[in-house]
Amino acid sequence: MAMDRRSFFKRTAGVAAAAAAMSTLDMKAWAQKVEDGPVEIKGNMCKTCASHCGMDIHVKNGRIWKVTGQPQHTSSRGKLCPRAHGGLYWVYDPDRVKTPLKRVGEGEFEAISWDQATTEIAERFQAVLDQYGPQAAFVNYHHFAHATSFWHRLMYAKGVNTLQTHNAACNTARGKGVGAVWGGALDADWANSKYLLFIGRNMAEGIRTGTTTAFAKAIERGAKVVCVDPRLSEGGALNDWVPIKPGTDLALLLAISNVLITEDLYDKAFVAEHTNGFEELAAAVQDNTPEWAAEITDIPAAKIREIARGLAEAAPAAAVDTSWKGAFPAKPSGPRGDGVGTEFPLGTSHGLPHLSMQKAVEGKVKAGFIWHTNPLRNFPDYEHMLAGYRALDLLVVVETHMSETAMQAHYILPEASFGERNDVVETKGTTIATRVPAVAKIHPETKEPYEIVQMLAQKMGVGEYFDFTLDEWNAARISNQDFTLDELKAVGSIEVKVEQPKGFQGLGTSSGKAEFFSKPFADNGFGGIARWHEPETGLAMGRTEFRLVHGKQAYHAHTHTSNIPLLAQVTKDLDSARVWINASRAAELGIADGDSVRFTSKEDGRYREARVKVTERIHPDMLFMGGVYGPRTPYFQLAETLGGFNANDISKYRLDPTIGHTMMNELIVQVQKA
């Protein structure tokens, strides 16, 4: 554009005036005013993992500033882990899903309106139901109150009975096994226990802030803590580490039972009054001596006896951790589409997402809804899961980010982040908690989870089951309490005083007793008593073979947290994307600390490469790696820079024969320098 002499002088004069004005601005005073700005505190719950710790969000100058723990929240007692602080990034992450998206090609999406998205989803979903029936559809979600309140309600209204959770890749097997005996996974008074036995549980990194705090208090009080683990984890480093051959935990437990019974170290009165099947158990473990177990577990017989006697001496202040890894529409009476109750009569309500993908390839499952979980990345055998999702006629993913699973969706519906939304009132222990928006929506087209389900229900013709507001629903949930919903919202969480019963009150089994002999298992051909079986992949290892096991790191939850800058930096600082290998075995193979190594599946030859950490802190037969690395979505570019890989990429699809649970650590790899 041409500029004459007069225009030039006019414009330069304006610049000079602006510069003069800037010179009068005191930047230090401005910065101090911002720093001293008023702070508003909003009650919330952390969303970085499933623990949902009570969290206050501090808002300054209209933006989230920091988070602190809620002292009144009984599950976390004012404590937050690194993930809570790092998770704030999600609210302002520029790569969030901002509008409804429709897939138009391989990895290609176009923005569409909410009306178009929900209309097309409802039409395509109804077409699947009409042609294939409700057993051809499923919903898969992270197990939060919102899902059990509203996604269940929506699916039931449409006759769909296949409800699946992330737990199927987490703690379902533990829940089923422990539940068969005790009626559920029992917790313990960790802080006041005198003897604690942890088997494969790393309390210092598999963090639930309340139990981790109690664990620390037990150590401070001088409790004896024994950590049985193939790896010297951070939790074991503080206590008595007992290395065990991976895959042999059951042999150890049977031998401990043998000692307690043969040496009369158990409470005979309690057993007589509150258990069933003790005689069968005693007979079954008669030959499971510590010497027998020592040959299998690599734990000396004397150490096994020491553990058993230590538990007995400290009883009843002794604990054994059970480890980890309204009105409704009528619940549909038809069969599920994932094999629970039919192929797997002992299967649980958590469902079998991995089996559903096999059935999708077979043409038996056609449609699915996935809310805030990433099964494509977090279940074993990525290619198996991918083939299943690509075979569906309809896949709808509700998410904040473009996860691996979202990348395969026909439609992606954007939800507001935890810092921008209300949520369903939930209970954690004796705490009732909720979430309120800390800031206004960053992206106006995102919606709260309840709004999304309500919109879908309207388009699907079942809106009558959602003819209420979220506030009305939440008020009904706490109507028996002596506080109002507004009072709860003001503080985020309230501890409910519950008088603890004295003495033994019975268990959650059908008899109210501990069932050492499980009739349901016996009736289904699995034997009613726990007996030793080798892992499916065996225990013998060749010269270059190892069992590859993945687990938690204190600063990550699942794969999505590896793309959070603050938490990714911790990985870089600690160089913790490396794979642990025993020093002696590494020396035999000519492998040095920091070397790049190829890990090849013994079964099918799939392989990945990563750098290694050479250490004496791990059993010679085992490799260990954090389970959060190796993204396969182009939107997690930061996570890609961390190195490492995901064991699910080379793990084979397997089903536990009893309940169909995924078998995540049955992976034998061959190792060689890259």
Side-chain angles (χ1 to χ4, degrees):
M1 182 177 67
M3 182 179 295
D4 58 23
R5 187 169 180 270
R6 178 175 296 189
S7 297
F8 172 78
F9 282 114
K10 184 176 181 180
R11 292 195 178 189
T12 53
V15 171
M22 286 292 292
S23 68
T24 64
L25 179 63
D26 187 338
M27 294 300 293
K28 288 185 178 180
W30 174 82
Q32 188 62 49
K33 185 174 182 179
V34 171
E35 178 66 23
D36 295 339
V39 175
E40 188 176 9
I41 297 177
K42 296 287 189 177
N44 210 284
M45 294 176 284
C46 182
K47 194 71 165 61
T48 322
C49 82
S51 294
H52 273 198
C53 295
M55 180 173 77
D56 285 331
I57 297 181
H58 298 241
V59 180
K60 181 191 289 189
N61 303 310
R63 287 180 62 89
I64 294 177
W65 173 42
K66 68 175 183 178
V67 294
T68 54
Q70 294 174 352
Q72 76 273 19
H73 197 291
T74 54
S75 292
S76 47
R77 287 300 187 198
K79 306 294 184 182
L80 296 175
C81 77
R83 298 170 296 198
H85 301 277
L88 291 180
Y89 175 75
W90 281 339
V91 179
Y92 298 105
D93 186 350
D95 287 332
R96 277 179 55 183
V97 182
K98 303 174 182 67
T99 65
L101 299 174
K102 179 179 181 178
R103 181 151 58 90
V104 295
E106 184 67 28
E108 297 181 3
F109 296 83
E110 67 176 10
I112 60 176
S113 69
W114 276 99
D115 183 67
Q116 179 184 344
T118 52
T119 298
E120 292 182 7
I121 290 169
E123 291 173 350
R124 294 177 65 168
F125 186 49
Q126 191 60 51
V128 167
L129 297 180
D130 290 343
Q131 184 172 355
Y132 301 102
Q135 69 274 12
F138 67 87
V139 63
N140 188 335
Y141 52 83
H142 225 310
H143 203 84
F144 299 136
H146 168 81
T148 53
S149 292
F150 299 136
W151 281 105
H152 281 203
R153 194 179 188 87
L154 177 61
M155 291 297 109
Y156 286 170
K158 298 299 293 181
V160 175
N161 204 18
T162 307
L163 315 174
Q164 303 172 338
T165 79
H166 162 77
N167 299 64
C170 187
N171 60 359
T172 295
R174 176 201 68 161
K176 187 66 179 183
V178 175
V181 178
W182 302 105
L186 305 180
D187 208 347
D189 184 1
W190 304 114
N192 295 304
S193 295
K194 297 177 181 178
Y195 195 107
L196 296 172
L197 175 61
F198 294 94
I199 302 177
R201 177 90 180 269
N202 179 6
M203 294 290 283
E205 289 198 281
I207 293 177
R208 287 200 159 191
T209 52
T211 51
T212 301
T213 300
F215 172 66
K217 287 181 179 178
I219 295 174
E220 291 173 0
R221 292 179 59 258
K224 172 72 173 179
V225 182
V226 177
C227 294
V228 178
D229 197 315
R231 180 178 74 109
L232 179 53
S233 67
E234 282 68 11
L238 299 171
N239 304 286
D240 183 2
W241 176 45
V242 180
I244 185 173
K245 188 180 186 70
T248 65
D249 301 358
L250 179 57
L252 170 64
L253 289 169
L254 293 173
I256 290 174
S257 299
N258 171 280
V259 174
L260 293 174
I261 293 171
T262 59
E263 296 187 9
D264 287 335
L265 299 178
Y266 62 93
D267 186 333
K268 296 180 181 60
F270 182 91
V271 166
E273 187 175 354
H274 299 299
T275 72
N276 290 325
F278 180 77
E279 293 77 9
E280 291 92 334
L281 173 65
V285 301
Q286 186 174 356
D287 296 328
N288 300 140
T289 63
E291 287 72 23
W292 165 84
E295 293 294 320
I296 297 171
T297 64
D298 290 344
I299 300 175
K303 187 65 176 181
I304 296 174
R305 286 193 171 86
E306 176 189 315
I307 293 172
R309 291 166 181 168
L311 286 167
E313 183 179 348
V320 180
D321 180 65
T322 54
S323 192
W324 207 248
K325 270 260 135 220
F328 259 70
K331 182 177 181 179
S333 58
R336 294 172 60 106
D338 61 357
V340 172
T342 51
E343 296 154 77
F344 293 94
L346 296 176
T348 77
S349 61
H350 295 160
L352 302 171
H354 45 305
L355 180 54
S356 284
M357 293 306 95
Q358 175 184 317
K359 293 181 179 295
V361 172
E362 296 169 353
K364 299 174 182 177
V365 172
K366 291 292 184 178
F369 294 82
I370 296 177
W371 175 63
H372 204 75
T373 187
N374 189 16
L376 175 55
R377 176 69 289 179
N378 293 330
F379 274 75
D381 204 332
Y382 186 92
E383 300 304 325
H384 162 79
M385 299 295 289
L386 179 63
Y389 288 124
R390 287 187 169 178
L392 295 174
D393 290 350
L394 175 65
L395 177 61
V396 180
V397 173
V398 181
E399 255 295 359
T400 55
H401 289 77
M402 294 292 284
S403 67
E404 286 84 354
T405 307
M407 289 293 295
Q408 303 307 318
H410 297 99
Y411 298 90
I412 306 173
L413 303 181
E415 67 172 352
S417 73
F418 67 90
E420 307 163 275
R421 74 186 200 216
N422 297 282
D423 228 326
V424 177
V425 167
E426 64 178 51
T427 58
K428 287 281 185 178
T430 57
T431 295
I432 296 177
T434 193
R435 176 180 285 120
V436 298
V439 293
K441 288 180 183 177
I442 309 300
H443 307 291
E445 286 298 301
T446 60
K447 291 190 180 294
E448 298 188 1
Y450 169 70
E451 294 179 282
I452 296 173
V453 176
Q454 191 177 46
M455 290 181 69
L456 288 170
Q458 292 291 342
K459 291 298 180 71
M460 292 179 183
V462 291
E464 68 269 23
Y465 293 114
F466 293 86
D467 189 19
F468 50 83
T469 66
L470 180 59
D471 274 356
E472 288 171 341
W473 177 270
N474 281 336
R477 285 174 68 87
I478 63 170
S479 59
N480 62 337
Q481 302 298 325
D482 60 0
F483 52 84
T484 67
L485 181 59
D486 286 341
E487 289 171 333
L488 176 61
K489 285 183 174 183
V491 295
S493 64
I494 294 176
E495 180 179 358
V496 178
K497 300 300 181 183
V498 179
E499 185 176 349
Q500 296 298 322
K502 293 180 171 58
F504 185 77
Q505 299 296 312
L507 299 171
T509 58
S510 58
S511 66
K513 299 181 178 182
E515 300 287 348
F516 292 124
F517 179 88
S518 174
K519 190 174 185 302
F521 275 79
D523 290 346
N524 283 278
F526 297 111
I529 292 289
R531 298 181 186 276
W532 168 246
H533 297 278
E534 271 197 4
E536 183 178 308
T537 48
L539 291 174
M541 298 291 155
R543 178 176 176 272
T544 65
E545 293 175 358
F546 298 79
R547 182 179 297 273
L548 177 58
V549 175
H550 63 271
K552 290 284 190 181
Q553 293 177 320
Y555 35 89
H556 286 300
H558 296 288
T559 50
H560 52 279
T561 61
S562 62
N563 204 54
I564 294 175
L566 182 65
L567 304 182
Q569 188 61 48
V570 177
T571 292
K572 292 179 180 179
D573 291 345
L574 299 179
D575 201 6
S576 56
R578 293 180 295 166
V579 178
W580 291 34
I581 185 172
N582 177 269
S584 298
R585 293 286 303 277
E588 292 174 7
L589 299 173
I591 294 172
D593 189 58
D595 279 352
S596 290
V597 170
R598 174 171 291 188
F599 304 90
T600 304
S601 168
K602 181 181 177 180
E603 290 187 274
D604 59 21
R606 287 182 289 176
Y607 67 88
R608 288 290 185 272
E609 294 181 0
R611 294 170 56 246
V612 296
K613 174 179 179 175
V614 176
T615 175
E616 295 286 358
R617 293 172 54 190
I618 192 167
H619 191 281
D621 286 353
M622 180 175 136
L623 304 170
F624 174 83
M625 62 187 300
V628 304
Y629 303 109
R632 295 184 68 165
T633 167
Y635 291 88
F636 283 14
Q637 294 180 4
L638 175 59
E640 188 66 40
T641 68
L642 300 180
F645 67 96
N646 195 297
N648 291 334
D649 286 338
I650 58 175
S651 295
K652 181 181 176 181
Y653 162 64
R654 278 187 171 85
L655 295 168
D656 169 79
T658 57
I659 64 171
H661 187 265
T662 179
M663 300 172 71
M664 300 194 72
N665 287 317
E666 294 292 316
L667 174 59
I668 307 301
V669 296
Q670 296 167 328
V671 169
Q672 66 182 80
K673 287 185 67 172

